[in-house]
Amino acid sequence: MTTMTAREKAIQESFSLRMDEAELLNCMQCGFCLPSCPTYLETGFDESQSPRGRIALMKAVHDGLIAPDDDVERSLNLCLGCRACEPVCPAGVKYGYLLEEARDIFNNHNEHSAPVKAVRKTVFEGLFPHQNRMEHAVTLLGIYQRSGLQNATRKLGFMKLFPESMQAMERILPAVPKKSEMKNRSSSFTALTEKTATVAFFSGCLMDTMFLNTNNATIKLLQKAGCDIVIPEGQNCCGALHGHSGEKDGAKELAKRNIDAFEKSDADYIITNAGGCGAFLIDYDHLLKDDPDYAERAKAFTAKIKDITQILFELDFHERVKLKIESQTITYQDSCHLRNVMNTHIAPRVLMNAIEGADFREMENADSCCGSAGIYNIVESDMSMQILDHKMEKAKATNAHTIVTANPGCLLQMKLGIEREGLSNKVRAVHIVDLLLEAAEHH
């Protein structure tokens, strides 16, 4: 091995100290993960872009056999973090935990350029941890949409200065609510039928601003299912964006604040409607396992986490409420984290199949990543669009009028795919919550 630089040596020492050697050794290099890995398939079977290849690289760095150079970091960064490798792994390797730890180590030793440092500080420290700032940012977006500025910008061709994927993303952003709508919602709601449970709703950051209507629909569904609902004050961003981007300390602080907020609710369950958020919330027990003040509290917190589709299924919502929509073909794109981490994939399908007028058709490889993966579609646009284009081939094969998903990032990505395929007048993408409320309130 060539002589390591001082930075590489520091990274290698951190790998040796921090990486879970037992978990690294759990990987038997059997290859069961390979057919499930999007980047392995999309790169033409490049082993360095597979789960077992990445684990081999981590182990080699841990053991001092190779330098943690740019190629190693590139391999880790190109991973979507979809965790599709975990359910198929016969040894039960927790690949997601290894990936987050390795990325955090690299990030701690990276000297970012001034612009990158400014962006990361703004996003990870200045914006997502502060819900009032999220509301302000979305309010500005709303002004852009409603003032006529958006139409003027498009007519002048200003958006053509940006990459094609960014132009398409601007076109598919949802119409966002006004600030008064975000501020004026109650923090508690009572069941509309015989009470079945008391739930605390994790409202999220993007979900409670840009996708406020879906959050409101979630509340209505829970009420129809017989739930009393409390929305704890003091909750904040789940920390997923931080955890997946090498900002683990920031993720831990957000996790602690959420645990503090939800402990006061004493609810039977904590409900989430975003697959990415739910998967990170349910891993708080791992994230805080070494914290003497929060380790046990995190276990109690994660034991209560359920996705909205799972709680509706368990409360027999589909049998107690008549669901009907205008006749149409629908298909479903799994949220990776909802399926692979929260193991929730049967419930949404049962609910959709219960809707009169909906011809549900299973999409081939519905459980494979759509390429959204948090901010992956921004920072790794080429690979993301390559994955999305292949996903849209599978979606189009179903001849569906409606593509349903259960995560905001997936929803925007599918809307982007529809836009890229020129299908905006024929196909829509919706969150499953919005589809279910549409079906429950049919007239």
Side-chain angles (χ1 to χ4, degrees):
M1 186 183 75
T2 57
T3 304
M4 288 189 280
T5 65
R7 171 182 171 272
E8 289 173 343
K9 185 171 179 57
I11 293 173
Q12 190 276 319
E13 289 173 352
S14 292
F15 262 71
S16 181
L17 290 170
R18 290 177 50 182
M19 295 299 292
D20 187 337
E21 185 173 18
E23 199 67 68
L24 290 170
L25 289 170
N26 274 346
C27 178
M28 302 180 295
Q29 299 293 308
C30 65
F32 275 82
C33 58
L34 299 181
S36 299
C37 178
T39 52
Y40 173 73
L41 299 176
E42 294 291 346
T43 56
F45 315 119
D46 182 348
E47 277 283 357
S48 70
Q49 300 302 339
S50 73
R52 74 173 181 184
R54 292 182 174 109
I55 290 175
L57 290 174
M58 294 181 213
K59 181 68 167 59
V61 172
H62 173 277
D63 294 344
L65 299 178
I66 64 171
D69 57 18
D70 291 344
D71 289 339
V72 174
E73 186 174 15
R74 178 65 186 146
S75 173
L76 298 178
N77 286 342
L78 198 61
C79 177
L80 290 143
C82 69
R83 295 172 71 168
C85 50
E86 293 186 17
V88 299
C89 177
V93 175
K94 296 294 185 183
Y95 171 80
Y97 297 165
L98 294 172
L99 178 67
E100 287 179 5
E101 193 72 10
R103 282 178 170 174
D104 189 59
I105 292 171
F106 267 103
N107 185 58
N108 288 346
H109 292 88
N110 279 344
E111 283 296 327
H112 296 297
S113 65
V116 170
K117 192 178 295 184
V119 169
R120 290 183 71 94
K121 186 175 180 64
T122 298
V123 171
F124 295 122
E125 297 179 30
L127 184 58
F128 278 87
H130 307 281
Q131 191 62 13
N132 62 328
R133 296 178 188 174
M134 289 291 293
E135 291 171 358
H136 183 65
V138 171
T139 298
L140 293 177
L141 175 60
I143 292 171
Y144 166 74
Q145 291 177 335
R146 291 187 291 269
S147 66
L149 184 59
Q150 184 178 53
N151 289 334
T153 298
R154 291 174 178 176
K155 288 179 180 178
L156 290 171
F158 179 73
M159 290 305 301
K160 292 180 180 179
L161 298 174
F162 296 90
E164 189 276 332
S165 61
M166 293 295 288
Q167 294 177 43
M169 186 64 74
E170 188 269 347
R171 290 194 295 271
I172 56 89
L173 286 175
V176 302
K178 297 178 181 178
K179 192 166 188 177
S180 59
E181 296 176 74
M182 292 185 268
K183 287 290 188 184
N184 294 337
R185 186 187 57 208
S186 174
S187 61
S188 63
F189 300 83
T190 56
L192 295 177
T193 61
E194 182 182 354
K195 183 180 174 182
T196 56
T198 298
V199 302
F201 180 41
F202 181 80
S203 52
C205 47
L206 273 180
M207 288 303 299
D208 217 32
T209 49
M210 189 175 292
F211 297 95
L212 181 66
N213 289 336
T214 301
N215 269 5
N216 291 339
T218 302
I219 292 167
K220 290 179 181 178
L221 290 176
L222 289 169
Q223 287 180 289
K224 289 177 182 290
C227 296
D228 284 347
I229 308 151
V230 61
I231 306 176
E233 295 181 8
Q235 63 172 296
N236 50 225
C237 172
C238 67
L241 182 62
H242 296 70
H244 301 328
S245 303
E247 299 280 347
K248 202 167 185 180
D249 287 343
K252 288 180 178 179
E253 288 308 308
L254 291 171
K256 291 175 185 178
R257 281 155 54 180
N258 280 325
I259 291 171
D260 290 342
F262 279 84
E263 279 178 337
K264 302 169 188 175
S265 69
D266 196 31
D268 301 315
Y269 307 107
I270 298 170
I271 305 301
T272 175
N273 60 8
C277 295
F280 202 74
L281 294 170
I282 211 167
D283 272 346
Y284 275 6
D285 56 345
H286 173 78
L287 183 68
L288 298 172
K289 62 182 172 57
D290 296 322
D291 190 302
D293 295 326
Y294 280 88
E296 291 302 315
R297 294 163 66 186
K299 288 180 183 178
F301 177 90
T302 58
K304 293 184 176 184
I305 300 292
K306 283 186 186 292
D307 182 69
I308 177 64
T309 58
Q310 188 64 36
I311 189 69
L312 292 178
F313 170 71
E314 292 176 7
L315 295 178
D316 297 323
F317 176 81
H318 54 297
E319 296 177 358
R320 296 167 53 196
V321 177
K322 182 173 177 56
L323 301 172
K324 183 178 180 180
I325 57 174
E326 184 178 337
S327 180
Q328 60 193 272
T329 300
I330 67 174
T331 192
Y332 183 64
Q333 165 61 28
D334 283 280
S335 156
C336 292
H337 288 118
L338 182 59
R339 183 178 184 118
N340 300 327
V341 182
M342 297 185 75
N343 195 30
T344 299
H345 54 93
I346 295 173
R349 287 169 168 82
V350 170
L351 293 168
M352 285 183 288
N353 273 301
I355 302 174
E356 183 182 337
D359 174 19
F360 178 75
R361 297 182 188 176
E362 189 71 50
M363 186 195 309
E364 184 183 354
N365 296 336
D367 58 346
S368 69
C369 187
C370 64
S372 172
I375 59 171
Y376 188 95
N377 56 0
I378 297 173
V379 298
E380 297 289 351
S381 179
D382 289 346
M383 177 60 74
S384 175
M385 293 304 103
Q386 185 175 324
I387 292 169
L388 176 59
D389 289 344
H390 289 153
K391 175 61 66 175
M392 288 306 298
E393 291 175 7
K394 307 300 185 185
K396 287 190 294 184
T398 67
N399 292 315
H401 305 99
T402 302
I403 302 174
V404 187
T405 189
N407 185 62
C410 302
L411 178 61
L412 289 177
Q413 187 80 339
M414 298 316 296
K415 285 179 178 287
L416 181 58
I418 291 169
E419 176 75 20
R420 283 167 63 86
E421 295 290 333
L423 297 173
S424 297
N425 295 326
K426 300 177 181 178
V427 182
R428 64 171 180 161
V430 299
H431 193 290
I432 190 170
V433 161
D434 295 308
L435 182 72
L436 290 172
L437 186 64
E438 178 185 334
E441 293 187 340
H442 69 278
H443 297 292

